[in-house]
Amino acid sequence: MPVRTRFAPSPTGYLHIGGVRTALFNWLFARHHRGSFILRIEDTDVARSSQEYLTAILDGLKWLGVEWDEGPYFQSQRVQLYREHVDQLLADGKAYRCYCTPEELEGRRQQALAAGAKPKYDGRCRERTDQPADLPSTIRFKTPQEGVTIVGDLIKGKVSFANEELDDLIIMRSDGTPTYNFVVVVDDALMGITHVIRGDDHLNNTPRQIHLYEALGYPVPAFAHLPLIMGEDRTRLSKRHGAASVTAYQEMGYMPHALVNYLARLGWSHGDQEVFSREELIEKFSLEGTGRSAGIFNPDKLLWLNAHYIKEGDPQEIAQQLIPFLHQRGIKAEPNGRLVKVVQSLQPRAKTLVEMAEMAEFYFKDDFSYDEKGSRKFLRPELSTFLSSLLEEFRGSKKFDEADLERRFRRLTEQQGLKLNQAAQGVRVALTGKTVSPGLFEVMEGIGRERVIKRLERALGYIGSQREGEAVR
C-alpha cells in the first residue's frame, strides 16, 4: 500500500516549532517512500479558530517548501460524516447515550480522587435502556474493559495499555459536536492514512483510537510518536526559550531551508552529518534514525546554521529574499546585478536577512554621518589630492568593476607615495561613513560609479570645511 501521511493543525494559533517539526517529519517520510502528504485543518473549535491563523499556517508551510499533495481538508465541512459514524456505532451497540450531568460527573470524580481511585467514568449509563427525550445526553464509546492494548510504535517500540484503565470516551457532546479522538479516527481512516506520525503527547490517545478503528471496521494505521522538543533547561519548549512561530522566524530574516535543516536534525540523525540539502533529507530520512529522547532546541545553533546558508547560498536567490527587508528600511531595491554584488559582499558577514539589510543601508543611502573618530583620523587634508585624483579617474572611466578599481587605486597610491592602508581607510570612511566594511573595491562596485563620485565629492567638501574651521581657530 502506498504511504500516506498527514499533518492536521488547528487554526487556533500560529504554526510553532513543534508543529513544524511534526509536519516536516510527515512530509519527509512521505517523500522518501514516494507517497502522499495530506493537509487537514482541524477547525471544529469555531470559537477559537480564525482565518488569520489559517492563513499563517498555510503561508508558513509554503515558505518552508513543505508542499501537500491533497487538501487542505476542513473538519468543519465533514460533520455529517462524523454523525453517520456515530449512528453506526449506536446501531451496532458499540456506543450509548450518557445522561450524567457535568455536576454529577465532577462529584463522582472528586469522590474517586478522595478514595485514591482513578477518576474514570464509572459506566453508570452503559447498560441504560431508557432514553428520556427531555434530558440532554452525550454519546460514549463502549471501550473494552478487559485485556491489554499494545501500540506497536515505530519509534518507542511496543507500549502496553491496560484496557481497564481506559474509560468510556465521549465521542459526541450534548450539543451535537464530535470530539477530537473520534473525528481524527474517522478522518484518518477515510483518507487512507497509513502512518500517523505525531508528538508523543498524543501517545495516551492511541489505545482509545485503536479501539475506535476496530469498532468501525477500519484498518489500524502504523503509529510513530516523536519525542517532544525541550528548551535547554529541559522544560517543555516555550517562547521564553527563543521559540517562535514560523512567521516570526521569517520576519527575523531566517532562511527557510536553514529552519528545515535544523528541525530535521532536532530528534533525527544520519551519522554525524549536520548540513543537508533538501534532496539529501528526502533520500536519507527514516523513522529508524529518530531518537527516543527529547530534542533540545538551541537558538544559537539555529542562528549558526542560518549564517551558513546565507554564506553558501545563491546570491541571486538571497537578493530576491532580501528585497522585502530593504523595503522595510525605505530602500527601493530591485533584483538586479548591483543588488547581487551587494549581497555577495555581505554574505560572509550577515547571520540573518534582517542583519544583512541593516548592513546594506550604506550602499543605498547617501545621507549617512561619518564616524567621528574615523573621520578625524582618516579624512585629513593630505588625502584631498588623492581623492581628487580618484574622482578624475572615475569620471573618465567606463569600466567600474572590482578588478579595474583595485588596479587604478593601487597605481594612484604608488604615484603619490601613500600607504595603501591609510588611503583605503580614508576612502572607506568617505564612501560608508565607517572604518569597517566589506572589501573596499567590492563596496565601490556595489555602490556604483555615480554614487561613488557623489560621495567622494562630499568627502572633499567635508575635508575643506574642516580645514577652514581649523584656520578660524
Side-chain angles (χ1 to χ4, degrees):
M1 181 180 292
V3 164
R4 289 174 63 84
T5 65
R6 50 78 165 174
F7 177 53
S10 174
T12 56
Y14 293 105
L15 183 58
H16 283 257
I17 288 298
V20 176
R21 203 263 306 253
T22 298
L24 178 62
F25 277 36
N26 276 278
W27 182 79
L28 287 172
F29 188 79
R31 290 290 177 269
H32 177 81
H33 292 282
R34 296 180 173 82
S36 298
F37 173 65
I38 290 87
L39 180 62
R40 185 173 72 230
I41 305 299
E42 298 186 342
D43 61 342
T44 52
D45 187 345
V46 177
R48 295 174 58 221
S49 297
S50 78
Q51 183 62 43
E52 177 187 352
Y53 293 140
L54 173 61
T55 300
I57 290 169
L58 299 180
D59 289 348
L61 292 174
K62 290 175 185 175
W63 177 67
L64 292 168
V66 179
E67 317 95 344
W68 52 92
D69 302 297
E70 294 180 23
Y73 298 106
F74 294 87
Q75 285 186 337
S76 59
Q77 300 172 6
R78 299 166 61 83
V79 174
Q80 185 57 37
L81 282 171
Y82 309 139
R83 288 174 178 163
E84 289 171 3
H85 282 75
V86 169
D87 291 342
Q88 176 188 333
L89 291 176
L90 285 170
D92 293 343
K94 297 176 180 178
Y96 61 93
R97 295 186 178 279
C98 174
Y99 297 92
C100 300
T101 67
E103 294 75 20
E104 290 172 339
L105 293 172
E106 178 59 23
R108 286 181 226 149
R109 194 181 81 86
Q110 293 298 335
Q111 289 175 4
L113 288 172
K118 185 178 178 67
K120 56 178 282 189
Y121 177 64
D122 60 7
R124 188 159 304 195
C125 294
R126 207 173 216 253
E127 305 303 331
R128 186 169 177 168
T129 56
D130 64 316
Q131 295 188 9
D134 58 337
L135 292 180
S137 65
T138 60
I139 298 175
R140 291 182 181 268
F141 173 66
K142 283 187 178 179
T143 302
Q145 295 296 292
E146 298 178 347
V148 174
T149 299
I150 296 177
V151 178
D153 195 275
L154 297 176
I155 294 175
K156 296 180 175 297
K158 290 184 177 180
V159 185
S160 299
F161 295 87
N163 290 336
E164 63 181 2
E165 296 292 316
L166 307 175
D167 57 4
D168 288 350
L169 181 72
I170 293 176
I171 58 176
M172 185 167 282
R173 302 179 185 90
S174 58
D175 63 0
T177 58
T179 59
Y180 166 78
N181 274 303
F182 182 66
V183 298
V184 75
V185 167
V186 174
D187 283 340
D188 285 346
L190 295 182
M191 293 177 187
I193 303 303
T194 60
H195 294 76
V196 175
I197 304 170
R198 58 191 181 186
D200 64 7
D201 51 337
H202 286 281
L203 181 59
N204 288 337
N205 291 327
T206 307
R208 305 173 188 277
Q209 293 172 6
I210 289 174
H211 293 153
L212 286 167
Y213 280 108
E214 294 172 343
L216 291 166
Y218 290 127
V220 179
F223 289 95
H225 289 89
L226 306 170
L228 296 180
I229 303 173
M230 300 289 187
E232 292 182 289
D233 59 358
R234 303 282 170 169
T235 61
R236 188 162 181 169
L237 191 66
S238 65
K239 288 183 180 180
R240 65 189 175 87
H241 297 108
S245 67
V246 173
T247 305
Y249 282 106
Q250 187 176 7
E251 291 171 350
M252 288 189 290
Y254 280 78
M255 304 291 287
H257 192 62
L259 192 55
V260 165
N261 192 154
Y262 180 74
L263 291 177
R265 285 285 290 110
L266 200 57
W268 172 82
S269 63
H270 184 81
D272 295 327
Q273 188 172 345
E274 291 285 349
V275 179
F276 295 82
S277 68
R278 188 172 296 264
E279 293 71 27
E280 284 179 314
L281 285 175
I282 291 171
E283 175 195 347
K284 301 177 186 301
F285 184 81
S286 71
L287 291 176
E288 289 79 10
T290 304
R292 296 188 181 188
S293 57
I296 305 300
F297 183 78
N298 184 337
D300 293 335
K301 189 169 184 180
L302 172 58
L303 188 61
W304 169 83
L305 197 59
N306 198 64
H308 167 83
Y309 276 101
I310 287 178
K311 182 178 180 180
E312 302 297 328
D314 176 6
Q316 290 188 327
E317 181 182 331
I318 295 174
Q320 188 70 52
Q321 295 184 47
L322 182 65
I323 289 173
F325 296 94
L326 292 173
H327 286 180
Q328 289 172 9
R329 294 177 170 272
I331 298 169
K332 300 300 181 184
E334 299 295 333
N336 52 26
R338 181 188 170 213
L339 181 58
V340 171
K341 286 290 183 183
V342 170
V343 166
Q344 288 174 321
S345 74
L346 299 174
Q347 279 180 276
R349 298 165 176 82
K351 295 178 181 177
T352 68
L353 293 176
V354 168
E355 199 172 274
M356 182 178 280
E358 181 182 355
M359 291 178 177
E361 277 202 45
F362 75 83
Y363 279 106
F364 302 94
K365 294 184 176 181
D366 298 319
D367 58 347
F368 54 80
S369 300
Y370 296 127
D371 174 80
E372 186 177 344
K373 290 183 179 179
S375 61
R376 191 183 310 124
K377 182 176 181 181
F378 297 111
L379 293 184
R380 302 293 300 159
E382 52 267 30
L383 191 65
S384 296
T385 302
F386 180 73
L387 292 182
S388 298
S389 300
L390 267 186
L391 275 169
E392 291 305 312
E393 287 278 339
F394 295 159
R395 287 185 182 125
S397 67
K398 293 183 179 179
K399 289 182 68 176
F400 205 79
D401 59 60
E402 191 175 333
D404 186 62
L405 289 167
E406 183 173 2
R407 181 182 62 79
R408 291 172 182 273
F409 195 94
R410 288 183 179 275
R411 177 170 54 79
L412 282 176
T413 55
E414 289 174 8
Q415 287 177 356
Q416 298 186 19
L418 295 175
K419 291 183 178 179
L420 182 65
N421 182 58
Q422 282 290 108
Q425 282 296 79
V427 173
R428 191 186 311 277
V429 174
L431 297 179
T432 71
K434 305 172 185 176
T435 57
V436 177
S437 77
L440 179 60
F441 307 111
E442 58 182 329
V443 164
M444 286 183 177
E445 187 174 356
I447 293 173
R449 190 169 74 93
E450 296 305 320
R451 268 200 160 104
V452 165
I453 290 172
K454 184 177 179 181
R455 294 183 188 186
L456 291 179
E457 290 173 340
R458 177 191 178 197
L460 278 171
Y462 173 83
I463 292 172
S465 66
Q466 295 298 105
R467 181 183 294 164
E468 291 173 5
E470 289 178 6
V472 171
R473 288 196 295 270

